[in-house]
Amino acid sequence: MRSRAREWLVIGGSLLWSMLIWAADPLPSDAPAPAAQTPVELKVANRSIMVFRASLLGETPEFRVKRAKAVITEALDSTDDLSVSIDPIQSSYLVLLGSKRAFIVTPKDVDELEYGSVQQAAEGAANKLHQVVGETQEARSVRFIVQALIGCAVATALYLGLLWGIYFIRRKMLKALPEIMTRHPHALKVGETEVVDVHYFYPLIRRLLWMLRWVLVLLLSYEWLGFVLSRFPYTRPWGESLNSYLLNVTGYLFEGIIGAIPGLGIALAIFFIARGGVSFSQRLLKRMAAPGTLSWLNHETLQPTTRLTSLAIWLFALAMAYPYLPGAGTDAFKGLSVLIGLMISLGASSVVGQAAAGLILTYTRTLRPGEFVRIGEHEGTVTELGMFTTRIRTGLGEVLTIPNSMITSTVTKNYSRAVQGAGYVVDTTVTIGYDTPWRQVEGLLLEAAKRTPGILEIPPAQVFQIALSDFYPEYRLVAQAIPTQARPRAELLTMLHANIQDVFNEYGVQIMSPHYMFDPLQAKRVPKEQWFAAPAQHRNDT
């Protein structure tokens, strides 16, 4: 009879609340919308039950939470039946704790993205309340608390044992690592060079072991803390949140890896195809560089053409594979792409200009390695013709690095291009007064060239009168040097200048050029009988 009366009491109370809710819920069409309420969370015994978002019968969400807490606390302290159930009332649901109404779930309290419907929200709140009831009974059980303490003690002992095992294994590995590394490094060699250097490899392995040790320690500590917190009713929500967070992170990483495999496979396939295209283009360009095939492609332009073709293929492959790379659609990846593009755009003006100048020098064949050139005020032998800079070695042993854009914007003299065979041109200029026969000066300069070791006799040296100045004519001696001799151009010019001085002194010819401040007493001319003074060769010149 008593249970029957309780059922009738619950039904009557439910009908009464249905009438009240029906009377209070509908609003006239012209009534102003109620003000937005601040959501308040109902939490009992450290566990979240429900979030109230709307007022009900004039009660704010905060007051509804206080009222629900009072009812649930009073019911938990009693010894009556603590079964949890729900009862529909119009569009709302009553959550009953035994025969008492714990709280009401209305449609305005439900977040559709979180629960989906009012019934699902009420069932979820009832399940959580039922869990609170069970945890309250467990917290009042001495046997359960003792079992939880024993489980925590066992877990702590296992945790400490695993920590000791980690430190013990690391210490043993660090002790045995030097012996293993000194025993097996000779197995990995490229030619006579060892791939693994013990002096640098040991600190790397030691740091990796240190990192692995702390990762394992943190993981074990995380799991131990989650297990201990889950043993007690009040801290169980914290332990469950720790475990669920770790599982969510692990699942997220696993799903990301599995989801990235198809795109990564497509990207790898594109890169393998690009690698095959690079190999095919290299072989094709090598065959096209054969003599008589293409005029612009030879052994000098083959290497830069191959590099440019390979670069173009790889850039195209990267552009094709970019959408399939893992994380290509994330904001971080997009920001990194924008940063790289900005850096390239800011520095592209000078880089692209230098690269374009290098291509111009390569394909116009302005310079070649081994040629003796003069670039502006610098002269020397070209040792390296790169994409951005060119290196030349001067006669004084200096190595000059000149930007390619500077070479294309200035006059370049090539002393090796117009010679017969391999070699370079040597020239020097002297000024002798008009009172010295020009034939004699020519003979003296040719004699000095003949005495200089390293000056090629065939083709023979030549003397040119390049200017007739106010006080003297200018003579230029042009000869070809022998490149096979290990003698820099500066040393060769030094020997040539020394021989010029010796020859002019032997024949009593003054090298110092005259500069007149007033007219001389006697005209500075050469009589005809002195036109062929030694060592001038007699010719029928008039």
Side-chain angles (χ1 to χ4, degrees):
M1 293 294 295
R2 188 174 183 180
S3 60
R4 175 72 88 181
R6 182 180 300 173
E7 292 179 0
W8 281 106
L9 181 62
V10 170
I11 293 173
S14 300
L15 292 175
L16 178 61
W17 274 103
S18 300
M19 295 174 63
L20 292 174
I21 292 174
W22 178 81
D25 187 49
L27 291 174
S29 59
D30 57 346
Q37 300 289 336
T38 302
V40 181
E41 182 183 16
L42 173 61
K43 183 178 289 188
V44 180
N46 201 29
R47 185 175 292 279
S48 177
I49 304 298
M50 181 69 189
V51 177
F52 296 123
R53 295 180 171 85
S55 298
L56 179 64
L57 298 177
E59 296 180 354
T60 62
E62 184 178 1
F63 186 81
R64 293 174 63 192
V65 168
K66 291 181 180 179
R67 190 176 184 282
K69 280 186 177 181
V71 173
I72 294 173
T73 303
E74 181 182 357
L76 292 176
D77 293 337
S78 66
T79 57
D80 295 336
D81 182 23
L82 295 179
S83 60
V84 180
S85 60
I86 61 174
D87 189 11
I89 302 177
Q90 297 293 331
S91 59
S92 303
Y93 282 85
L94 283 173
V95 178
L96 303 175
L97 182 57
S99 59
K100 297 182 179 181
R101 174 181 58 83
F103 52 86
I104 301 176
V105 181
T106 66
K108 296 181 180 180
D109 293 327
V110 179
D111 186 359
E112 296 181 357
L113 297 177
E114 183 178 358
Y115 296 104
S117 64
V118 182
Q119 182 179 359
Q120 292 177 355
E123 291 176 352
N127 293 333
K128 293 179 181 179
L129 184 59
H130 179 73
Q131 192 173 2
V132 169
V133 171
E135 290 175 348
T136 303
Q137 294 175 351
E138 291 176 353
R140 295 172 180 175
S141 174
V142 177
R143 180 179 178 182
F144 178 82
I145 297 299
V146 172
Q147 291 178 352
L149 291 174
I150 294 175
C152 291
V154 173
T156 304
L158 181 61
Y159 167 71
L160 295 176
L162 291 176
L163 290 182
W164 180 86
I166 292 174
Y167 280 93
F168 177 78
I169 294 174
R170 177 178 176 271
R171 186 170 61 252
K172 289 294 184 181
M173 292 182 65
L174 290 177
K175 186 177 180 180
L177 187 60
E179 182 181 355
I180 297 175
M181 295 180 63
T182 54
R183 186 189 309 166
H184 299 287
H186 303 287
L188 294 176
K189 285 186 176 182
V190 176
E192 297 297 329
T193 304
E194 296 181 0
V195 177
V196 179
D197 190 351
V198 178
H199 300 287
Y200 295 99
F201 197 63
Y202 179 77
L204 177 61
I205 295 297
R206 187 169 184 174
R207 291 189 183 94
L208 290 177
L209 291 177
W210 178 85
M211 186 182 300
L212 179 61
R213 178 192 66 178
W214 279 110
V215 169
L216 293 177
V217 168
L218 292 176
L219 184 61
L220 288 175
S221 302
Y222 190 93
E223 287 295 330
W224 172 81
L225 182 61
F227 178 81
V228 171
L229 293 177
S230 300
R231 296 303 94 195
F232 301 95
Y234 187 79
T235 60
R236 187 171 296 163
W238 298 340
E240 292 175 354
S241 62
L242 289 177
N243 295 329
S244 62
Y245 177 76
L246 184 61
L247 292 176
N248 291 335
V249 171
T250 304
Y252 175 77
L253 294 177
F254 182 75
E255 290 178 0
I257 294 173
I258 296 300
I261 288 178
L264 188 61
I266 295 176
L268 290 177
I270 293 174
F271 289 137
F272 276 115
I273 294 174
R275 183 179 179 183
V278 169
S279 301
F280 174 76
S281 65
Q282 289 177 352
R283 292 192 296 268
L284 179 62
L285 290 174
K286 189 174 181 180
R287 292 195 299 269
M288 294 173 63
T293 305
L294 293 176
S295 60
W296 59 271
L297 188 61
N298 50 32
H299 69 281
E300 296 177 1
T301 58
L302 176 61
Q303 185 177 5
T305 304
T306 302
R307 291 179 178 177
L308 290 175
T309 305
S310 302
L311 179 62
I313 293 175
W314 282 116
L315 288 178
F316 180 76
L318 181 61
M320 294 294 294
Y322 176 82
Y324 301 100
L325 295 177
T330 60
D331 294 336
F333 212 107
K334 294 178 181 177
L336 181 61
S337 302
V338 172
L339 178 61
I340 294 176
L342 181 62
M343 294 173 61
I344 293 176
S345 62
L346 291 177
S349 57
S350 60
V351 174
V352 172
Q354 296 290 350
L359 294 177
I360 292 173
L361 294 178
T362 300
Y363 286 98
T364 58
R365 305 176 191 176
T366 304
L367 304 176
R368 296 174 183 173
E371 293 182 339
F372 194 91
V373 297
R374 183 177 182 85
I375 303 172
E377 299 179 354
H378 311 288
E379 65 176 22
T381 304
V382 179
T383 59
E384 181 181 350
L385 182 61
M387 179 66 71
F388 303 101
T389 59
T390 297
R391 288 186 175 89
I392 63 173
R393 184 180 64 250
T394 66
L396 301 178
E398 301 171 337
V399 176
L400 305 180
T401 302
I402 304 175
N404 288 335
S405 58
M406 176 181 173
I407 301 175
T408 56
S409 61
T410 188
V411 177
T412 301
K413 296 181 180 180
N414 195 321
Y415 296 99
S416 301
R417 189 63 57 86
V419 299
Q420 296 182 3
Y424 57 87
V425 175
V426 177
D427 65 328
T428 186
T429 303
V430 295
T431 56
I432 308 298
Y434 284 103
D435 54 351
T436 304
W438 65 267
R439 297 176 182 83
Q440 185 182 22
V441 176
E442 181 180 339
L444 293 173
L445 291 175
L446 295 175
E447 178 63 24
K450 188 183 300 184
R451 294 184 184 182
T452 304
I455 298 296
L456 197 63
E457 294 183 359
I458 300 177
Q462 292 179 291
V463 178
F464 301 93
Q465 298 185 39
I466 60 175
L468 297 176
S469 303
D470 292 339
F471 307 117
Y472 45 75
E474 297 182 19
Y475 302 91
R476 174 171 292 178
L477 172 64
V478 180
Q480 182 175 341
I482 302 176
T484 56
Q485 296 185 0
R487 179 174 292 112
R489 189 171 186 270
E491 182 180 349
L492 189 64
L493 284 175
T494 298
M495 297 176 61
L496 178 59
H497 292 161
N499 289 328
I500 290 174
Q501 295 181 63
D502 292 340
V503 171
F504 275 66
N505 289 329
E506 289 178 9
Y507 289 93
V509 178
Q510 176 181 302
I511 296 181
M512 185 171 59
S513 303
H515 287 74
Y516 300 104
M517 302 301 296
F518 50 87
D519 290 337
L521 297 177
Q522 298 179 356
K524 296 297 182 181
R525 63 183 183 84
V526 181
K528 189 173 183 178
E529 61 271 10
Q530 296 180 7
W531 283 4
F532 298 97
Q537 298 179 359
H538 184 75
R539 294 183 297 183
N540 294 326
D541 297 335
T542 58

